[in-house]
Amino acid sequence: MTQDFDREINEALGREFAPATEVSRSGDGELPSCFRVSDLAEASVRAAASELAGLTGARAVSVDRRLSLMWFSMSLRPAGWSLPSIWDPIAGDYRADDGWIRLHTNAPHHRNAALQVLDCAGDRESVSGAVAARNKDELEAAIVAAGGAAAAMRSLEEWRTHPQGQAVSAEPLIQWREIGQGRRITGLDGLRVLDLTRVLAGPVATRFLAGFGAEVLRIDPPDWNEPAVEPEVTVGKRRAGLDLHRADDRRTFEALLSEADVLMHGYRPGALEKLGYGDDERQRLSPGLIDVCLDAYGWSGPWAGRRGFDSLVQMSCGIADEGMTRSAGAQPVPLPVQALDHATGYLIAAAVLRALRHAQATGTRFSARLSLARTAALLTGAGARPFQGSKLEDRDADLAPALEQTSWGPARRLTFPVRVDGKGPEWVLPAGLLRIDAARW
């Protein structure tokens, strides 16, 4: 049952607006997990759909549970080509001297940091041998201090008593801040969203907004690539590149920001401040800007500035340990999909839409902050249970009939789970490579 998640999400969005219309439900399915990950998936998609209806005045909104679960994995089905692996060859779980640790090495600088600390060759056998001789907590701290990304596996109870776990549990699911007044918003059509987010939650949110009318401009630095997920999350968006260490690119960015209605970013706390674009400066450049951001480990506590990803947060907060225990497994058992990323993505979209509803009704603008760790707390707070569910296989009816001509080749995409007044999203632009568009509205 999803009612508990619905209630908590609605409480987090606020009581200022009653649901505009009832969201009808269809489809069924249950992903294999000891947590209520399928209910969280449906509830988060429904929250975004409900807020969309509230903004647009739609009279009929529906969410398909089965398709929602499938969109929490990969929605694209290449025709005659293949997606690259989502993981670097040495990314994954390793047994340390006193437990398990996960290394996240998809980004070259994160891979280099891990190998520097481990002082070994870059193959799984060498990494396994080096990790086996180390204490998991000590190794986690050393890799993070070197600029890498890693997470020692903790139990639910260990995370509950951990200073960061306690800090996250005290944070709201969505942190709101009133930022002043701006022009009234009439809807999503033509709304300008400046997207500074990366894998995976932020791009999921902007993909949703782009599908229902927003103009999304994604900005990436010169050296960033995420080839395994670019075909998944770039659909509907224009994609430009800027180096915010260069004066000319900074001027371009500031001009874009001054004309944006919404800024979405996923930098760690303090990162934009170091570039000279803290909260006050962003509002000075774009008064009344709706500013929505996310991070991995929350906004307070000793790990507030820690780099992280869905798979790492699952290790830290007890999800992977509980999965291993309840399945009697020999290694960490994470969620069947990167549900923290996807659920947070739809919650971000819902938060943007709620902020737009405020702007539409009163002109008042709000900013919002979310985190993967707080979404994990929403999931684990519902409790664990014996494993149930199974993998969902494609059916012909699941796929949209039209081919999408991506930069990599033709593909079909799963039918989107949301229908608003009988219509799904319309992504005008196919998925494509990063940094191929001009940095302008």
Side-chain angles (χ1 to χ4, degrees):
M1 301 295 287
T2 62
Q3 287 90 339
D4 291 343
F5 289 134
D6 290 336
R7 186 189 72 252
E8 291 192 52
I9 292 169
N10 289 334
E11 287 285 335
L13 287 168
R15 302 187 181 194
E16 296 85 353
F17 299 98
T21 185
E22 186 71 21
V23 179
S24 64
R25 178 183 181 275
S26 62
D28 55 25
E30 191 76 24
L31 295 171
S33 179
C34 62
F35 292 98
R36 289 174 50 196
V37 62
S38 300
D39 290 342
L40 176 64
E42 183 185 346
S44 61
V45 173
R46 184 165 50 245
S50 179
E51 290 302 310
L52 178 63
L55 179 68
T56 61
R59 292 175 293 179
V61 185
S62 64
V63 170
D64 185 294
R65 178 182 175 95
R66 173 185 168 81
L67 290 172
S68 295
L69 303 185
M70 296 182 76
W71 272 80
F72 265 53
S73 186
M74 289 291 184
S75 69
L76 200 71
R77 303 294 185 265
W81 56 282
S82 299
L83 291 165
S85 172
I86 197 170
W87 298 113
D88 173 77
I90 66 168
D93 302 329
Y94 293 88
R95 187 184 291 278
D97 179 59
D98 60 341
W100 288 89
I101 187 170
R102 184 172 183 85
L103 308 183
H104 198 291
T105 57
N106 285 2
H109 57 292
H110 293 163
R111 176 189 174 95
N112 293 339
L115 292 177
Q116 175 189 342
V117 170
L118 291 168
D119 191 24
C120 69
D123 60 83
R124 291 196 71 87
E125 183 177 359
S126 299
V127 171
S128 294
V131 171
R134 305 287 289 266
N135 169 277
K136 63 185 178 71
D137 291 339
E138 174 273 326
L139 181 56
E140 172 192 69
I143 291 175
V144 170
M153 188 171 76
R154 293 172 173 83
S155 68
L156 292 170
E157 178 61 20
E158 287 171 332
W159 183 244
R160 188 187 69 80
T161 60
H162 190 281
Q164 192 59 34
Q166 293 178 335
V168 168
S169 67
E171 294 179 358
L173 182 62
I174 302 173
Q175 299 184 34
W176 292 105
R177 181 169 68 94
E178 185 174 337
I179 55 177
Q181 295 286 311
R183 67 175 178 84
R184 290 181 184 268
I185 300 293
T186 58
L188 273 182
D189 288 343
L191 188 89
R192 289 175 168 176
V193 179
L194 193 59
D195 181 5
L196 307 186
T197 62
R198 312 281 180 264
V199 198
L200 185 59
V204 165
T206 51
R207 180 181 65 190
F208 184 95
L209 298 175
F212 290 99
E215 179 185 357
V216 176
L217 176 61
R218 172 172 167 150
I219 302 294
D220 285 283
D223 57 350
W224 180 262
N225 292 286
E226 44 192 52
V229 296
E230 287 169 26
E232 182 67 19
V233 298
T234 56
V235 62
K237 310 170 190 180
R238 292 177 54 247
R239 304 165 299 278
L242 292 174
D243 183 348
L244 296 185
H245 296 95
R246 297 181 66 250
D248 287 349
D249 283 3
R250 289 175 67 88
R251 284 190 288 270
T252 299
F253 172 73
E254 291 168 12
L256 291 171
L257 188 62
S258 71
E259 298 179 6
D261 299 298
V262 176
L263 173 68
M264 195 176 298
H265 52 103
Y267 290 101
R268 289 182 294 131
L272 279 179
E273 282 75 6
K274 290 180 181 178
L275 288 168
Y277 297 115
D279 288 344
D280 292 343
E281 180 64 8
R282 298 196 299 272
Q283 287 298 320
R284 186 190 72 79
L285 289 166
S286 185
L289 176 75
I290 294 173
D291 190 306
V292 180
C293 55
L294 74 147
D295 72 357
Y297 282 102
W299 298 92
S300 60
W303 287 10
R306 178 172 290 212
R307 60 185 60 82
F309 300 90
D310 181 308
S311 59
L312 299 185
V313 175
Q314 289 193 46
M315 288 288 279
S316 297
C317 74
I319 289 174
D321 177 80
E322 189 71 12
M324 183 174 75
T325 299
R326 288 183 176 267
S327 67
Q331 60 187 29
V333 177
L335 301 175
V337 291
Q338 294 191 71
L340 306 183
D341 263 330
H342 286 272
T344 304
Y346 289 105
L347 294 178
I348 292 168
V352 170
L353 293 164
R354 174 56 65 95
L356 292 173
R357 292 178 72 185
H358 278 287
Q360 182 185 60
T362 67
T364 304
R365 302 299 183 96
F366 286 86
S367 291
R369 300 195 302 194
L370 301 89
S371 74
L372 301 184
R374 185 58 183 83
T375 301
L378 174 65
L379 176 63
T380 59
R385 61 191 182 184
F387 265 79
Q388 54 187 273
S390 59
K391 182 180 178 181
L392 301 179
E393 301 292 345
D394 286 356
R395 301 170 182 165
D396 288 342
D398 294 331
L399 294 171
L403 282 174
E404 182 180 326
Q405 300 297 333
T406 77
S407 293
W408 303 271
R412 294 178 70 189
R413 204 173 283 273
L414 290 168
T415 300
F416 198 65
V418 174
R419 286 290 178 273
V420 179
D421 284 341
K423 297 181 179 179
E426 295 182 5
W427 289 293
V428 177
L429 300 171
L433 298 168
L434 302 182
R435 293 179 293 273
I436 63 173
D437 296 308
R440 62 170 182 261
W441 294 112

